[in-house]
Amino acid sequence: MLPDAPVMLRNALGLLTGGRSVGFAFQQVAHRVPDRVFLRFEGAAFTYREANAEVNRYAAVLTAAGVRSGDVVGILLQNRPEALFAVLATVKLGATAGLLNHHQRGEVLAHSIGLLESRVLIAGAECAEALDSLDERPGNLLAAEELAERARAEAADDPAACARVRPSERAFLIFTSGTTGMPKASVMTHARWGKAMAGLGGFGVRLHGSDTLYCCLPLYHNNALTVALSSVLAGGGTLALGRSFSVSRFWDEVIRERATAFVYIGELCRYLLNQPERAEDRGHRVRLAVGNGLRPELWDDFQRRFHVGRIVEFYGASEGNIAFINGFGVPRTAGFGPLPYAVVEYDEEAGGPRRGRDGKLRRVRTGEAGLLLAKVTRLTPFDGYTDPKAGEAKLVRDGFRRGDVWFDTGDLVRDQGWFHIAFVDRVGDTFRWKGENVATTEVEGALGAAPELAQAVVYGVEVPGADGRAGMAAVVLRPDAEFDGAALARLVHDRLPAYARPLFVRVVGELEQTSTFKSRKVELRKQGFDPDADGELYVLDGREAGYVPFHDDYPAEVAAGRAPRG
């Protein structure tokens, strides 16, 4: 750490300010090191000069299409250079890039598109299936291929609007399931992205100009668009973009791209550990990995097997106003958080922080787990969602004293002392699976379309050997109806993205409710997929096979990534 001390100190101060806009930060690096490679993708390479020129041409096309400062540009693309160019062109103009999840389908995707209210919606040919799932195609579509073609005729000058973008303006809209209902569009301002560039990129990751960071996580996630991109720009390094994560190709691609770093989510690390050992496990040049969700029990094994010198674990949320960064290289921790927060007792029945008889919150002791709250202040504002009511629902007021305001992260963490925490679990009506937040009400809404179901309650359950919680539904059949596993599988495949489809379904005679008519999800979660519990238990075997009776090997197949099929 000693050689990096001046850089860490400078960026620690930047963590409090976040002064530059995303487009201007990229533009500055492009002018400073124009001949250095900025982006690699499947054999193609773009220098900073070439990438900046392409981004500027894209910006000219968007300007001709009527995009101005304050507008939203929807982006529905899988990982490829054109997606990143479209994002950077949008933010250079002072517009907001609305990153759509290309796994969404039907009503959910239509809802997300509607929230954006975009001036233009850029869509790639690879997302045709997603668009075909909509009842009606948006009228403002601009094909990514047409955008690239039209850009060839435009000038490559930096747009004048880029220098005028203020840090307080919106840069991205990132979709998150929140805690209830349909997906919500959380706001990422330029200031908050700039703080990530300083805190995560400069203070925590500390890439050099000779480094290449490999990212196969989707660009609609902040791990890619904020963590990976800001880390690369902070060090003036190279971003190697992978089309998608493949457990069998991961290390081959890392070696091919000559990567010295990569960005991860916890599930990715577990999948890699579950593979048979190969020579490629250590035949790479990786010296560090940055990400979140690497479980403490896997940390040492992962570092030892793959010879990753430094793991920069962090904690953060798309809509959150706080972050923790393992900038000091402490094992098995989400890191250090200098911003004001509290870890408080959690009430499982109420689904929120527990208050004492005096009405105030109660902090847990060091070493104990509790609900993480982040204080909302002038320096740590809560940017919220596009829906103000959804934003207000995430705030806890008058927590310790009259007038104070706290952001409820919805996460249980362990207070490790000295401003360090470790992630424990997700709580409430949202669970995390395959690196995605799943809103149970969204899944329940999809199941409600099954004619044979009278009731459905959805929750997440732990699967040994897997990170996060897999989706499970407890359902009640209508009188005289029979469970149709094949039809239900087709319905969830048509209406839900892969990560949101319930893997387990328990058919029960009735669902117990609390005195306030809420389903007893706490008891259901504890019961999990125990085959000896009440009701008939089914598991998702794929679109064609449908839901089939539970078998003992199924949880292990899920953990290994072999189920469900298709």
Side-chain angles (χ1 to χ4, degrees):
M1 285 176 53
L2 193 58
D4 292 334
V7 174
M8 294 177 70
L9 178 59
R10 184 172 66 250
N11 283 283
L13 296 175
L15 180 61
L16 299 176
T17 57
R20 289 180 289 180
S21 72
V22 179
F24 196 67
F26 166 69
Q27 191 170 285
Q28 281 186 312
V29 180
H31 289 306
R32 190 174 74 246
V33 289
D35 298 321
R36 189 175 295 167
V37 174
F38 164 62
L39 182 64
R40 290 200 192 102
F41 179 78
E42 297 183 348
F46 300 84
T47 65
Y48 273 93
R49 178 189 285 112
E50 292 168 339
N52 188 50
E54 192 72 358
V55 167
N56 292 342
R57 295 188 187 100
Y58 274 46
V61 176
L62 292 177
T63 298
V67 175
R68 299 291 184 269
S69 176
D71 288 339
V72 175
V73 174
I75 298 174
L76 182 63
L77 286 145
Q78 294 182 12
N79 279 15
R80 52 186 173 112
E82 295 82 358
L84 190 54
F85 295 158
V87 170
L88 290 171
T90 298
V91 296
K92 272 199 174 197
L93 294 175
T96 304
L99 281 301
L100 291 160
N101 182 335
H102 53 74
H103 293 293
Q104 291 180 349
R105 296 291 185 271
E107 183 183 3
V108 178
L109 178 59
H111 170 83
S112 297
I113 292 174
L115 279 182
L116 293 182
E117 298 182 341
S118 59
R119 175 76 62 181
V120 173
L121 175 57
I122 303 170
E126 70 276 18
C127 297
E129 182 184 324
L131 290 173
D132 290 342
S133 72
L134 300 173
D135 291 337
E136 183 178 347
R137 286 210 168 197
N140 59 346
L141 275 179
L142 173 60
E145 294 70 27
E146 180 186 352
L147 172 59
E149 180 64 30
R150 288 167 57 183
R152 293 192 180 99
E154 298 291 344
D157 301 327
D158 292 327
C162 183
R164 298 194 295 266
V165 179
R166 298 187 303 274
S168 59
E169 294 179 34
R170 302 189 311 183
F172 310 133
L173 294 177
I174 303 290
F175 281 91
T176 174
S177 294
T179 54
T180 58
M182 286 288 204
K184 300 173 179 64
S186 65
V187 176
M188 171 64 74
T189 64
H190 290 274
R192 200 147 66 86
W193 187 93
K195 290 178 181 180
M197 181 177 177
L200 272 168
F203 178 82
V205 180
R206 308 192 295 274
L207 294 181
H208 305 142
S210 57
D211 280 316
T212 295
L213 186 147
Y214 174 71
C215 173
C216 59
L217 303 180
L219 286 170
Y220 61 75
H221 264 192
N222 264 324
N223 282 49
L225 201 56
T226 295
V227 177
L229 179 61
S230 73
S231 296
V232 166
L233 295 183
T238 300
L239 177 65
L241 189 63
R243 191 176 293 271
S244 62
F245 170 66
S246 166
V247 67
S248 60
R249 299 195 310 269
F250 182 84
W251 290 114
D252 295 331
E253 294 184 7
V254 165
I255 293 168
R256 183 192 69 197
E257 302 295 353
R258 305 186 298 281
T260 55
F262 66 84
V263 61
Y264 68 83
I265 56 174
E267 292 90 338
L268 182 153
C269 298
R270 190 183 288 274
Y271 285 145
L272 293 174
L273 272 173
N274 285 342
Q275 294 300 297
E277 294 196 28
R278 301 191 305 159
E280 288 79 0
D281 290 354
R282 298 185 178 183
H284 54 76
R285 302 167 57 193
V286 171
R287 64 183 182 85
L288 69 91
V290 54
N292 63 329
L294 178 57
R295 294 287 184 173
E297 66 269 18
L298 301 181
W299 190 296
D300 293 341
D301 289 342
F302 187 84
Q303 202 163 17
R304 187 183 307 112
R305 173 172 167 180
F306 299 114
H307 273 204
V308 177
R310 188 160 62 91
I311 294 176
V312 187
E313 177 83 358
F314 72 91
Y315 170 88
S318 297
E319 72 274 38
N321 63 334
I322 196 170
F324 292 78
I325 309 153
N326 189 11
F328 301 124
V330 180
R332 299 174 295 282
T333 178
F336 168 78
L339 303 176
Y341 68 92
V343 183
V344 302
E345 293 182 7
Y346 176 70
D347 187 334
E348 283 194 349
E349 287 292 340
R354 177 180 288 117
R355 293 181 184 262
R357 291 183 177 179
D358 59 357
K360 304 303 180 185
L361 305 178
R362 297 188 289 188
R363 297 178 189 265
V364 302
R365 291 175 293 187
T366 300
E368 293 182 345
L371 180 67
L372 176 64
L373 304 179
K375 194 168 187 179
V376 179
T377 69
R378 183 179 60 83
L379 290 177
T380 56
F382 171 53
D383 296 319
Y385 308 99
T386 52
D387 179 359
K389 291 183 179 178
E392 180 61 31
K394 293 291 291 181
L395 298 179
V396 177
R397 297 185 180 276
D398 304 322
F400 297 98
R401 57 180 57 88
R402 185 178 179 84
D404 63 4
V405 182
W406 301 80
F407 167 69
D408 181 353
T409 67
D411 289 325
L412 293 177
V413 302
R414 191 172 306 283
D415 187 349
Q416 297 176 304
W418 296 97
F419 303 100
H420 281 68
I421 64 164
F423 178 79
V424 175
D425 201 1
R426 186 80 175 157
V427 301
D429 287 334
T430 298
F431 59 89
R432 193 164 179 82
W433 184 245
K434 302 295 184 184
E436 304 274 1
N437 287 339
V438 182
T440 59
T441 49
E442 175 188 329
V443 183
E444 288 166 358
L447 295 178
E452 72 273 19
L453 301 187
Q455 282 182 278
V457 173
V458 175
Y459 44 97
V461 293
E462 293 182 346
V463 177
D467 289 309
R469 291 175 180 264
M472 183 167 183
V475 302
V476 177
L477 299 177
R478 295 187 184 279
D480 301 324
E482 293 185 0
F483 181 73
D484 188 338
L488 189 62
R490 289 194 296 272
L491 184 145
V492 300
H493 272 78
D494 290 341
R495 291 176 173 261
L496 295 170
Y499 60 82
R501 297 166 193 158
L503 300 191
F504 304 90
V505 171
R506 188 185 299 280
V507 179
V508 297
E510 62 178 355
L511 289 170
E512 291 187 48
Q513 293 182 323
T514 67
S515 58
T516 55
F517 303 102
K518 294 180 180 179
S519 300
R520 293 189 178 277
K521 290 189 180 183
V522 173
E523 288 84 351
L524 291 169
R525 279 196 295 266
K526 291 178 179 177
Q527 188 182 70
F529 49 82
D530 179 359
D532 296 326
D534 293 337
E536 299 174 351
L537 184 60
Y538 297 87
V539 295
L540 182 61
D541 195 27
R543 184 186 181 95
E544 299 304 321
Y547 284 96
V548 300
F550 175 86
H551 54 93
D552 291 339
D553 295 335
Y554 187 77
E557 292 172 358
V558 170
R562 296 192 298 271
R565 298 174 293 180

